[in-house]
């Protein structure tokens, strides 16, 4: 990948990227490995993780380990973080990237549907941050945490309410811990990406029957979706030494979308009952296929 940094910038860093087996997590994991970091990725589908870890290691010659872990389970998170610490010492960086999401009218959500998202994004992310944070504080290690949010933390997320609520919680976690943990040299920042097409997100946010991709691209002032190296460069910058005084910030990278149009799914208000039934069936088909591959 074409990056704007010198090759060994992250040598000596040890970084965990949650949800690093696919999509944006995979892109950031590769960028870190390319710049010399020792990288760990986690998720629920072991085969997917192992393929990604192998591919990145082959390309970058850095060591990348795949750990299957469901971040909704606090004990499993503790085990994973203990395993990483035992495998060569403290992490120096954490990227909270794992997430779940789907579009749905809020009135159609069940409590389980809400929890399916909140348990991953809101609770799971906190479990991982806490398991790392308490070890950093005990061990006197400096560290950098980056959480991947969305721009609708600022203006709301119609049709993605559990995600918007959960991501907004992480935005406040970022600010709160930036001050609570600043004295320990632990920095927390966040990235709010605009549209960066990935299979995981697009199958659940723009399934065929809700396809509004073209309309959305037209709404972006820069007239295009994000490109992966652009996101990777920001994720490297926030992770690297040299911006040690930068903490508690959430940075949008969206070509100006949220400033021009809100950057959310308000345009889906035009859909009717049968459209929503098709959308739901399509997303559930994707969920079932992914679930069949999970090992944890
Ligand atoms: C309404 C739905 C639904 C849908 C699932 N549910 N899909 N409700 N509309 N489309 C409901 C189910 O009916 C069920 O409730 C409950 O959710 C749990 O469903 P499960 O399939 O058992 O969930 P689970 O196995 O826990 O899977 C979690 C998941 C799944 C979130 C539903 O999509 C997942 O694992 N996603 C991971 C990857 C992902 O989502 N990536 C996209 C991130 S993108 P009932 O009551 O019926 O039992 C992102 C982008 C943001 O965040 C910004 C873009 C611009
Ligand atoms: P993705 O490919 O679906 O990534 C989500 C990852 O999270 C998957 O690898 C998934 O792996 C993992 N995950 C989900 N639940 C998990 C759990 N319980 N435990 C451990 N891992 C879990 O989608 P993406 O587009 O790359 O999204 C990555 C991040 O970017 C998310 O935080 C998303 O909200 C954010 N984002 C994306 C966009 C975009 O345009 N793509 C825009 C704004 C924000 P398993 O299913 O194997 O567990």
């Amino acid at each position: 990948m074409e990056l704007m940094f010198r090759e060994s910038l992250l040598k000596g860093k040890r970084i965990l990227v949650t949800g690093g087996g696919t999509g944006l997590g995979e892109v950031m994991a590769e960028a870190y490995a390319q710049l010399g970091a020792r990288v760990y990725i986690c998720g629920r589908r072991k085969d997917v993780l192992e393929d990604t870890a192998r591919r990145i290691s082959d390309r970058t010659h850095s060591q990348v380990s795949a750990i299957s872990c469901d971040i909704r389970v606090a004990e499993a998170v503790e085990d994973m973080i203990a395993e990483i610490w035992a495998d060569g010492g403290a992490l120096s960086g954490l990227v909270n990237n794992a997430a779940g999401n789907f579009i749905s009218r809020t009135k159609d959500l069940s409590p389980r549907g809400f929890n399916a998202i909140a348990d991953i994004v809101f609770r799971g992310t906190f479990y991982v941050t806490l398991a790392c944070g308490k070890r950093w504080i005990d061990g006197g290690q400096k560290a950098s945490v980056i959480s991947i949010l969305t721009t609708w933390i600022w203006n709301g997320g119609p049709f993605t309410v559990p995600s918007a609520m959960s991501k907004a919680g992480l935005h406040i976690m970022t600010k709160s811990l930036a001050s609570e943990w600043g004295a320990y040299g632990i920095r927390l920042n966040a990235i709010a990406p605009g549209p960066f097409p990935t299979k995981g997100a697009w199958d659940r946010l723009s399934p065929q029957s809700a396809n509004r991709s073209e309309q959305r691209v037209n709404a972006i002032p820069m007239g295009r979706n994000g490109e992966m190296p652009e996101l990777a460069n920001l994720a490297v910058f926030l992770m690297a030494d040299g911006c040690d005084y930068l903490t508690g910030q959430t940075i949008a990278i969206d070509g100006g979308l949220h400033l021009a149009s809100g950057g959310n799914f308000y345009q889906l208000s035009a859909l009717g009952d049968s459209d929503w039934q098709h959308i739901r069936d399509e997303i559930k088909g994707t969920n079932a296929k992914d679930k069949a591959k999970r090992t944890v």
Side-chain angles (χ1 to χ4, degrees):
M1 185 180 346
E2 193 72 45
L3 296 170
M4 56 196 273
F5 300 98
R6 71 181 149 76
E7 249 169 48
S8 57
L9 184 74
L10 299 179
K11 212 158 189 59
K13 299 275 182 210
R14 294 166 48 75
I15 302 167
L16 168 64
V17 181
T18 67
T22 62
L24 306 189
E26 178 177 1
V27 167
M28 292 183 280
E30 176 167 343
Y32 294 145
Q34 193 176 319
L35 298 174
R38 165 82 171 92
V39 174
Y40 297 84
I41 56 177
C42 75
R44 294 164 299 175
R45 289 167 294 169
K46 183 117 181 116
D47 285 355
V48 170
L49 289 165
E50 282 177 347
D51 285 353
T52 300
R54 200 172 313 115
R55 191 187 62 71
I56 299 178
S57 296
D58 289 349
R59 268 188 162 176
T60 63
H61 309 295
S62 286
Q63 206 181 343
V64 182
S65 298
I67 306 180
S68 45
C69 174
D70 184 339
I71 65 164
R72 292 173 296 188
V73 182
E75 297 76 17
V77 168
E78 262 301 310
D79 289 349
M80 169 176 69
I81 299 302
E83 182 184 331
I84 293 174
W85 250 253
D87 179 48
L91 283 172
S92 43
L94 164 66
V95 182
N96 287 317
N97 164 82
N101 202 356
F102 51 75
I103 47 167
S104 171
R105 290 185 292 197
T106 303
K107 76 181 184 65
D108 297 337
L109 287 173
S110 65
R112 268 174 50 82
F114 176 83
N115 288 335
I117 292 165
D119 285 350
I120 304 172
V121 180
F122 185 67
R123 295 193 178 77
T125 301
F126 179 76
Y127 299 154
V128 183
T129 307
L130 175 65
C132 292
K134 65 185 187 189
R135 286 175 172 80
W136 287 323
I137 292 168
D138 281 352
Q141 283 112 6
K142 289 168 71 172
S144 172
V145 179
I146 301 170
S147 297
I148 308 301
L149 309 181
T150 66
T151 58
W152 53 55
I153 56 156
W154 289 300
N155 62 318
F159 305 103
T160 54
V161 166
S163 167
M165 289 172 65
S166 301
K167 298 277 192 186
L170 300 183
H171 175 63
I172 282 299
M173 178 187 82
T174 298
K175 291 187 176 300
S176 308
L177 293 180
S179 52
E180 189 176 330
W181 291 354
Y184 304 108
I186 302 169
R187 300 189 294 122
L188 292 99
N189 292 292
I191 297 176
F196 284 78
T198 64
K199 183 167 169 25
W202 259 233
D203 283 357
R204 294 171 176 94
L205 299 173
S206 294
Q208 282 304 99
S209 39
N211 207 332
R212 297 285 183 278
S213 298
E214 224 170 87
Q215 248 172 282
R216 282 176 67 77
V217 169
N218 291 338
I220 303 169
M222 287 189 166
R224 63 172 176 86
N225 288 323
E227 287 172 12
M228 296 307 179
E230 295 171 328
L231 178 87
N233 279 320
L234 179 56
V236 169
F237 170 73
L238 290 174
M239 184 58 72
D241 296 333
C243 60
D244 290 359
Y245 209 47
L246 175 53
T247 193
Q249 302 307 305
T250 298
I251 301 175
I253 176 164
D254 73 341
L257 176 62
H258 79 288
L259 300 174
S261 72
N264 60 32
F265 285 92
Y266 176 70
Q267 79 279 5
L268 297 179
S269 303
L271 301 185
D273 287 344
S274 62
D275 300 313
W276 278 108
Q277 191 55 52
H278 284 307
I279 287 170
R280 194 183 177 111
D281 293 345
E282 249 187 89
I283 295 174
K284 286 193 164 187
T286 297
N287 290 345
K289 270 194 225 141
D290 280 4
K291 208 185 273 194
K293 291 190 198 149
R294 286 184 207 160
T295 39
V296 289

